[in-house]
Amino acid sequence: MFLKLDEIARKLDQIFLPLEQEGMSGMRLLPQKDLKATVQALKNAQETLGVSFPAKFTKLLSKFELGNFEICNVSFGSRGDYASELVRLNSVDEFGGKWWHGEARPANLIVFAVGDPWIFLLDCASGAVYAWLLEDKKLCSRRVASDFEKFFIALASTYIARLNDEALPSAKQILNFVQADDTALPFWQEMAQI
């Protein structure tokens, strides 16, 4: 029901590789080409952002390139270099724009992906993943997974099952897998429908 990371990559290849000949890209989970450069880029991003990425986050980023990856309406990156994308998403832009309120970005929180209408936050201290809507009163009121790897696997497995007309895991099965409570239920129900 919930696939391993290598199975996710293989199944996404089966589905989307034929579409790349038609110019559609960014839907396959591609392996890292240069592990040494990736490790250094992630280290630099952590220093710039003043955080230490959780082990499960760096493990997946060391294995797969998310710099041009989108799945289930969740865009991890669009510029090719995910470490730079993380820094860009979590810095004040040239117009003074930022995702947080107040002067300083909340300690240990980073945006790691965006979607419509969701913004995805990673708590670098606990490893938990939050789905946030701009109108939410609290940043971390909707914890959708206990860690990044579980979030990624649940999202991808559900999406692949839907694309292949296979049985989808129930919302309760997803909540158990990602170790989230009922506040995450509407989010996972929406992701299963996208």
Side-chain angles (χ1 to χ4, degrees):
M1 180 163 304
F2 294 104
L3 304 168
K4 303 248 185 265
L5 291 172
D6 290 331
E7 291 174 303
I8 290 169
R10 186 177 46 75
K11 288 186 178 256
L12 288 174
D13 280 352
Q14 290 170 347
I15 296 166
F16 291 111
L17 187 58
L19 298 175
E20 285 192 0
Q21 280 77 39
E22 298 173 20
M24 181 183 205
S25 63
M27 308 296 273
R28 294 174 47 227
L29 191 55
L30 301 174
Q32 278 295 351
K33 293 179 182 121
D34 187 346
L35 181 57
K36 188 175 180 180
T38 298
V39 169
Q40 187 59 50
L42 292 174
K43 183 179 175 187
N44 294 345
Q46 290 176 91
E47 288 174 11
T48 301
L49 296 172
V51 297
S52 292
F53 296 148
K56 289 188 177 182
F57 186 63
T58 55
K59 176 185 163 195
L60 196 141
L61 296 180
S62 295
K63 187 169 186 163
F64 297 106
E65 173 54 55
L66 300 184
N68 283 317
F69 185 69
E70 180 177 331
I71 190 165
C72 202
N73 198 32
V74 177
S75 176
F76 290 89
S78 61
R79 298 177 182 202
D81 178 359
Y82 189 62
S84 293
E85 189 88 359
L86 288 171
V87 170
R88 186 188 65 77
L89 285 170
N90 292 286
S91 300
V92 178
D93 69 20
E94 63 271 16
F95 306 108
K98 57 191 180 197
W99 63 262
W100 63 92
H101 301 291
E103 289 297 313
R105 193 184 78 245
N108 288 317
L109 276 182
I110 62 166
V111 169
F112 68 87
V114 293
D116 185 17
W118 304 99
I119 296 171
F120 297 94
L121 302 168
L122 178 65
D123 183 331
C124 291
S126 70
V129 172
Y130 298 90
W132 177 54
L133 297 170
L134 289 175
E135 68 264 9
D136 286 351
K137 289 182 173 43
K138 286 178 58 179
L139 278 177
C140 297
S141 61
R142 190 179 300 100
R143 184 175 155 272
V144 295
S146 61
D147 66 63
F148 179 77
E149 187 177 76
K150 286 186 186 326
F151 169 80
F152 191 88
I153 288 171
L155 188 70
S157 296
T158 303
Y159 185 63
I160 289 167
R162 193 169 50 74
L163 290 176
N164 288 333
D165 291 324
E166 298 168 353
L168 294 175
S170 70
K172 193 66 176 164
Q173 289 170 317
I174 294 172
L175 291 180
N176 286 339
F177 178 77
V178 298
Q179 299 173 332
D181 62 26
D182 286 345
T183 59
L185 186 61
F187 169 80
W188 286 110
Q189 287 172 326
E190 180 180 321
M191 289 296 108
Q193 299 304 314
I194 289 179

